[in-house]
Each structure stands twice: as C-alpha cells, then as structure tokens.
Amino acid sequence: MRLTPSKIVCIGRNYVDHIKELGNETPEDMVIFLKPPSALCDELYSFEGEGVEYEGELCFLYEKGSFSAVGF
C-alpha cells in the first residue's frame, strides 16, 4: 500500500552527537520544518564520487485524530 500524505512535518537538530560532528550550534528549541510529499521515494540515487550520509528516520502517520501507522 502506498500512502500519499498531504504534508510531511519534520523535527531536526535533535541528535546531539550529529550536531557536534557538523559543528552546528545546539538549538534551545526543536527545529520544525516541512517537506513536500514529493520528497518520498522508493530508491536512493547517488553519483560516482558523491558522498552519502546514512541517517535513520522514523515516520508516524497521523490521521483522523490519532496515530495509525509507523515506518522507518
């Protein structure tokens, strides 16, 4: 089953070790940002010589007033 959400709400800069690794400042409040539904994909593409960083993502589907699914 493929879902097409109306919006994707993201929380960023919440992993302290990664913040330090990148030399960024630790925010006092969580960073919230949006991604368009077109950001979802089934495949990862990279080009020869291009660096790739691997991160884990947790996704929660919220519909009809409650969480109905989780993915990673």
Side-chain angles (χ1 to χ4, degrees), residues 2-40:
R2 181 156 178 98
L3 301 172
T4 305
S6 60
K7 63 185 161 201
I8 302 170
V9 181
C10 307
I11 307 296
R13 295 233 182 138
N14 57 335
Y15 183 51
V16 176
D17 288 345
H18 190 56
I19 294 170
K20 290 177 182 176
E21 176 186 355
L22 296 174
N24 293 326
E25 292 183 28
T26 303
E28 290 188 28
D29 295 315
M30 62 181 150
V31 176
I32 300 173
F33 59 98
L34 300 175
K35 287 196 174 226
S38 61
L40 296 174

Side-chain angles (χ1 to χ4, degrees), residues 34-56:
L34 300 175
K35 287 196 174 226
S38 61
L40 296 174
C41 65
D42 294 329
E43 296 181 38
L44 173 66
Y45 296 97
S46 65
F47 299 96
E48 187 175 333
E50 180 182 25
V52 177
E53 277 195 39
Y54 298 94
E55 296 181 358

